[in-house]
Amino acid sequence: MIDPAELAAAQPDLEMLLVEMIASVLGEQAEPTGERLPPAVGLAVSRLVIQDANDGSFLGIEVRAEGTLITTLAATLLGVAEPAPDDMLDVIAELGNIAGGNVKSLLCHNGQLSLPSAQLVFEQSGEAPDAIRAAAGLLGNVMELVVMPLPAADPQTRWPSGSAQHEAEVSSL
Amino acid sequence: MQALVVDDSRVMRTILTRLLTDLNFDVVQAGDGAEALAALDAGARPDVALVDWNMPVMDGLTFIKKCRQNPDYRDVVLMMVTTESEHSNIVQALAAGAHEYVIKPFTDEVIAEKLEMLGLIAR
């Protein structure tokens, strides 16, 4: 289980990770910001889980951005004039995947990263009190990376082929 | 030159395809290792395959192992392109037969440099 103090101390690293990911994947300049996403707005959210192989504990990762921002990014990345919801989901899912892999390197060296699960939502889910949040501003919008300890993985979590979790799922069928 | 891009993310396949096309590769895409193997079995002979690690159906490490077990595919240069950045992952991939290892997020320049080092492009 990751120590809450260790998680809190990682906040500046998460902020840097988010900014670097935006620059590398999206080709956009971003700056860390104290701003938050507006409370009632269409959001694209990507969720992943890391399971620590040492003690079995779980860490949740979310990447969130306004739907309008993801629409703009999807148009550029996929080369489509009017991105469909599936295009937006693909973009936020891959951003979550990249963020998740880098969070694993930072906080959980011996763990398994799940596959991303992406959703378009109209309300932000509640955040655990020990969640750590990093935010970056780009194109006049905010993108957030939130990392939080989880008591368990969502049963809908998909694990990659070849992982112990996937093998356990397959053998239980 | 032909390249095979193996990634379950359509966004990543699109990004890599655009980059490789700019470097004069003809690009074939696959959504997981099983699809990629099927493409090879159907006769595709890419000069290089860029392979994600974590995918549904068949992960990239298994694909690389299967590719290396088949002498018909021994000339395919294999490059793992993944978010898995632990030293043990890199060692595992190289031991399985990957020639290069790139960690996401990457820049276009990093991919081009690796392809140049592998002798697949000249700049």
Side-chain angles (χ1 to χ4, degrees), chain B residues 29-46:
Chain B
Q29 297 185 3
D32 59 58
E35 264 186 35
L37 268 187
L40 294 177
D41 291 342
R45 286 296 174 274

Side-chain angles (χ1 to χ4, degrees), chain B residues 12 23 32 45 57 74 85 91 97 108 112 118-120 123:
Chain B
M12 193 48 62
L23 294 170
D32 59 58
R45 286 296 174 274
V57 187
R74 66 171 172 238
S85 57
V91 169
D108 291 1
L118 291 164
L120 293 162
R123 295 189 295 162

Side-chain angles (χ1 to χ4, degrees), chain B residues 19-20 23 25 48 50 79 100 110-121:
Chain B
L19 165 60
L20 291 163
L23 294 170
F25 283 88
V48 61
L50 283 72
M79 186 188 297
E100 269 296 350
V110 166
I111 298 284
E113 266 178 22
K114 299 281 188 189
L115 292 169
E116 191 173 24
M117 280 165 50
L118 291 164
L120 293 162
I121 61 169

Side-chain angles (χ1 to χ4, degrees), chain A residues 57-83:
Chain A
S57 64
F58 297 96
L59 201 59
I61 297 144
E62 286 190 12
V63 174
R64 310 166 180 164
E66 283 186 54
T68 48
L69 173 63
I70 296 300
T71 301
T72 304
L73 298 174
T76 307
L77 287 172
L78 296 170
V80 292
E82 292 182 18

Side-chain angles (χ1 to χ4, degrees), chain A residues 57-145:
Chain A
S57 64
F58 297 96
L59 201 59
I61 297 144
E62 286 190 12
V63 174
R64 310 166 180 164
E66 283 186 54
T68 48
L69 173 63
I70 296 300
T71 301
T72 304
L73 298 174
T76 307
L77 287 172
L78 296 170
V80 292
E82 292 182 18
D86 277 354
D87 298 327
M88 297 167 67
L89 292 172
D90 284 351
V91 168
I92 196 72
E94 185 55 18
L95 291 173
N97 184 45
I98 293 173
N102 285 274
V103 169
K104 183 162 94 75
S105 300
L106 193 63
L107 296 171
C108 182
H109 300 289
N110 185 18
Q112 177 65 54
L113 178 66
S114 76
L115 296 171
S117 154
Q119 275 185 305
L120 301 177
V121 297
F122 291 93
E123 255 180 49
Q124 295 190 47
S125 54
E127 247 171 48
D130 42 4
I132 300 300
R133 180 182 160 281
L138 74 156
L139 302 174
N141 287 267
V142 175
M143 186 177 288
E144 292 184 348
L145 168 61

